[in-house]
Amino acid sequence: MTAITEGAGENLHRSIDWKGAFWVASGVPALVLFSIGGIAGTVGIPAYAVWIVSMLMGFIQSFTYAEIAGLFPNKSGGASVYGAAAWLKYSKFIAPLSVWCNWFAWTPVLSLGSAIAAGYIMDAFEHAPAAEAIAAKVAEMAAAGTPVDEAGATAALMPLHNWSLLSFSIPGIVNVSIGATFIIGAILMLIAFAIQHRGILGTAKVQTVVGAIIVLTLLIVGVVPFLNGNFHSENFSPFVPLAAPYAPEPGSWNIAGWTLMLGGMFIAAWSTYGFETAVCYTSEFKNPKTDTFKAIFYSGLLCLVLFILVPITFQGYLGLTGMLDGGIVAGTGVASAMANMVGGGTSAVLHNIMVLLMIASLILIIITAMAGSSRTLYQGSVDGWLPKYLSGVNHNGAPVNAMWTDLVFNLVLLTFAASDATAYYFILAVSNCGYIIFNFLNLNAGWIHRMDAGHVKRPYKAPTIILAAGTVLSFVNVIFMGAGAKVWNPYALWAGLIVAALIIPVFCFRHFVQDGGKFPKRMLEDLGVRDEHGLGEKRAGMLPYITLVAGVIVLLGANWIFGGSDLDWKVFWRVSLALLVALAGFYFYQQRARA
């Protein structure tokens, strides 16, 4: 697994067609299993509607990504890279933000998926003790003069689950733990790394086999309950959000109820929009002109079916009380639920099969995430946004330096994700802040490319009404972020913005220190320009800047309105006015610099 440095002269290999990318992205539907319990526990009975609306939004948005991806047949890394090209001439600091946010949105899939899979593996070796065993242990400890309660007895009977080499907490934020879950999760990530090391063609072959099995399993779970009597329509009413997260009491459609709904929409986007990773492999397609659109379109159709069917059948079988179960919320009880939904009983054989399939599906999405996120890092490096070492590839055309970076970063995240569900959803919420920022920038990149490069031939051109719908949805997503991030953790929104801002020193190091203030020649060639001073006319004028300011205003407004306190409109308008003044000053500074 030796990394090849940037000077090795290797590139990604054109070795797959759209079907290969489709199967590499086939792990995306498994993302529904990451947060199906969390969304149900937060929203309540309307949770299934959250999944439906979110998936429909993701499908509409994908047409914009398909168009802009077709403009750059020699780039990899996904929509964020193609969108960054639109923002470059308006600000060299906004463009890398798109790439960075897409990466830190996708890469935590490695640690989160590994943590859940590790939980399943540990449960296979060490089952939860029965009530009789717990009672006997309590009596035994009492007789020995060291009395414990039921929780203490359970911990004593499950030493593997509770063993920890190192653990501590960051008060009010997350717990950190290096124990059995961390070790098993790290091994799973190394397995995903080894598969990726063979290059995209080898990865696609593995994903085709595993992906077909997992997709078939999810289809069975999504259909069979309608046929075997395990679907109950009464579990879909009353259609009102919860009064409080993880408590079965119904609430109402007030500010508190809508806040929970927006929180559900916020976290669902992280899963339902994920099939856009199918266009991460443009520079590895044999025929990018036709493969790019087909890859994202058919991946979107697959997700449209599974992201709607699976949440409906889960809720139809489990009901609200079942969806609030701790095992469903944490993800470790999902396999048992699927076995009961399909088998109608508690067959040990069927349960074990479902556990194996669940672990396989998690490994599948881990591979999908590493494939996409590592190529985002790779292309970000090639284009001059990220440090040079990330553009190194091996003899198989795999971006191994970026893969190593993904691996090390996620080993750190795994110490959080392995601790408890609170840390799990904190990581998920912070990463999704990056995903919403990325989506906002790239959905608006669609019309910027139309205005600035309308003359360039496009292999696929989205209908204008769909492009406009994507622009509207970009602001809807910002509302989800502003209102919903705090539902998962009071610090999630601000932590997400801080992580997003880290791209500024990273980019400044690459651009001003490593490159001496100039962009790489290869990036400029991809844009069809000779030098960075000739990036072309800004036909969109002030509109991109106005869009950015409007996005910030919508974010702050949503955060205040759904913040649990009365909105101070005077403060809101003062902040908005200050942003507009700052925008005008920035624009005139840019114009003066150009002159």
Side-chain angles (χ1 to χ4, degrees):
M1 296 185 184
T2 303
I4 305 298
T5 59
E6 192 250 347
E10 294 285 343
N11 294 305
L12 303 181
H13 297 174
R14 291 197 180 277
S15 53
I16 60 170
D17 58 13
W18 72 267
K19 296 175 185 176
F22 171 88
W23 286 114
V24 173
S26 67
V28 171
L31 287 174
V32 69
L33 306 176
F34 276 53
S35 51
I36 191 169
I39 290 177
T42 300
V43 174
I45 287 175
Y48 75 96
V50 167
W51 287 104
I52 293 173
V53 174
S54 184
M55 186 59 237
L56 289 173
M57 287 179 60
F59 192 67
I60 292 171
Q61 292 166 180
S62 69
F63 288 89
T64 297
Y65 299 153
E67 177 176 323
I68 64 176
L71 293 171
F72 304 99
N74 296 319
K75 288 185 180 291
S76 67
S80 63
V81 173
Y82 319 135
W87 287 97
L88 175 60
K89 66 176 65 177
Y90 295 94
S91 174
K92 64 172 62 176
F93 291 99
I94 297 298
L97 180 64
S98 173
V99 178
W100 177 262
C101 285
N102 190 31
W103 171 72
F104 88 74
W106 259 106
T107 192
V109 175
L110 277 69
S111 54
L112 299 180
S114 297
I116 298 176
Y120 275 108
I121 294 172
M122 289 168 61
D123 287 344
F125 289 98
E126 190 177 72
H127 299 293
E132 295 80 5
I134 295 173
K137 190 65 176 180
V138 170
E140 177 189 334
M141 298 293 285
T146 55
V148 295
D149 57 12
E150 290 187 359
T154 302
L157 290 168
M158 302 181 73
L160 179 62
H161 282 74
N162 293 283
W163 174 79
S164 179
L165 179 65
L166 173 68
S167 63
F168 60 91
S169 64
I170 302 174
I173 303 180
V174 294
N175 296 319
V176 177
S177 176
I178 298 178
T181 301
F182 174 85
I183 293 173
I184 296 172
I187 293 172
L188 293 175
M189 281 196 280
L190 286 169
I191 291 173
F193 185 101
I195 294 171
Q196 292 279 300
H197 194 267
R198 302 166 59 214
I200 192 62
L201 180 60
T203 301
K205 289 179 179 178
V206 173
Q207 294 283 86
T208 299
V209 176
V210 180
I213 296 172
I214 301 308
V215 168
L216 180 61
T217 300
L218 290 175
L219 282 172
I220 291 172
V221 170
V223 173
V224 169
F226 288 104
L227 307 176
N228 66 2
N230 278 337
F231 182 84
H232 310 289
S233 59
E234 62 269 20
N235 289 334
F236 295 87
S237 62
F239 191 79
V240 292
L242 296 175
Y246 307 109
E249 290 76 18
S252 59
W253 292 105
N254 53 17
I255 289 291
W258 276 108
T259 301
L260 294 180
M261 281 291 292
L262 294 173
M265 290 297 299
F266 168 72
I267 218 70
W270 186 79
S271 301
T272 55
Y273 301 174
F275 66 93
E276 48 82 18
T277 190
V279 295
C280 276
Y281 317 102
T282 306
S283 66
E284 294 165 278
F285 285 146
K286 295 176 182 177
N287 186 0
K289 288 186 177 180
T290 58
D291 289 336
T292 301
F293 175 74
K294 288 181 180 179
I296 194 170
F297 179 73
Y298 288 112
S299 294
L301 288 180
L302 174 67
C303 288
L304 197 64
V305 172
L306 295 179
F307 274 113
I308 292 176
L309 269 180
V310 173
I312 288 177
T313 52
F314 257 84
Q315 187 166 326
Y317 172 69
L318 291 172
L320 180 59
T321 303
M323 295 292 283
L324 294 178
D325 179 78
I328 301 297
V329 172
T332 53
V334 171
S336 294
M338 291 195 299
N340 294 335
M341 287 163 63
V342 174
T346 56
S347 168
V349 174
L350 184 58
H351 173 267
N352 290 335
I353 291 174
M354 284 298 179
V355 168
L356 288 174
L357 290 173
M358 186 69 179
I359 294 172
S361 68
L362 292 167
I363 293 176
L364 183 72
I365 188 58
I366 290 169
I367 295 172
T368 298
M370 182 175 282
S373 62
S374 62
R375 279 158 179 80
T376 299
L377 289 179
Y378 164 83
Q379 193 65 50
S381 176
V382 169
D383 286 349
W385 312 123
L386 302 175
K388 283 187 175 182
Y389 83 94
L390 291 168
S391 58
V393 300
N394 67 4
H395 61 282
N396 293 319
V400 286
N401 289 359
M403 288 161 54
W404 276 114
T405 302
D406 263 344
L407 183 65
V408 173
F409 179 76
N410 276 277
L411 287 174
V412 175
L413 288 186
L414 187 59
T415 63
F416 306 151
S419 58
D420 56 40
T422 302
Y424 175 95
Y425 283 109
F426 174 72
I427 295 171
L428 191 58
V430 170
S431 68
N432 197 45
C433 287
Y435 203 45
I436 296 298
I437 295 171
F438 145 72
N439 274 280
F440 177 80
L441 292 174
N442 282 268
L443 288 171
N444 285 287
W447 60 262
I448 295 175
H449 274 305
R450 281 277 185 97
M451 295 184 74
D452 284 346
H455 62 285
V456 177
K457 186 176 180 181
R458 289 157 165 75
Y460 167 76
K461 187 175 184 179
T464 302
I465 191 171
I466 295 294
L467 202 69
T471 303
V472 173
L473 292 179
S474 72
F475 286 93
V476 175
N477 284 322
V478 171
I479 294 175
F480 297 159
M481 177 177 162
K486 65 168 69 71
V487 170
W488 303 93
N489 187 285
Y491 304 103
L493 175 60
W494 312 117
L497 294 176
I498 290 171
V499 174
L502 292 178
I503 185 56
I504 296 176
V506 172
F507 169 67
C508 287
F509 170 76
R510 170 62 195 270
H511 187 63
F512 296 108
V513 177
Q514 290 190 315
D515 290 342
K518 297 181 179 180
F519 285 108
K521 181 179 179 181
R522 178 172 169 182
M523 188 270 280
L524 297 174
E525 289 175 347
D526 287 339
L527 295 180
V529 297
R530 294 181 178 180
D531 59 71
E532 59 187 275
H533 300 293
L535 293 175
E537 182 184 355
K538 297 180 182 179
R539 293 189 176 95
M542 284 283 291
L543 288 178
Y545 303 115
I546 293 173
T547 299
L548 292 175
V549 172
V552 174
I553 291 173
V554 170
L555 177 71
L556 295 177
N559 187 260
W560 271 329
I561 292 171
F562 297 94
S565 59
D566 293 334
L567 174 66
D568 188 337
W569 287 102
K570 290 183 179 179
V571 173
F572 177 74
W573 288 117
R574 285 171 183 169
V575 171
S576 300
L577 181 60
L579 287 170
L580 289 172
V581 171
L583 166 66
F586 178 74
Y587 176 75
F588 287 118
Y589 170 79
Q590 291 276 83
Q591 293 294 100
R592 186 175 178 181
R594 279 188 72 196

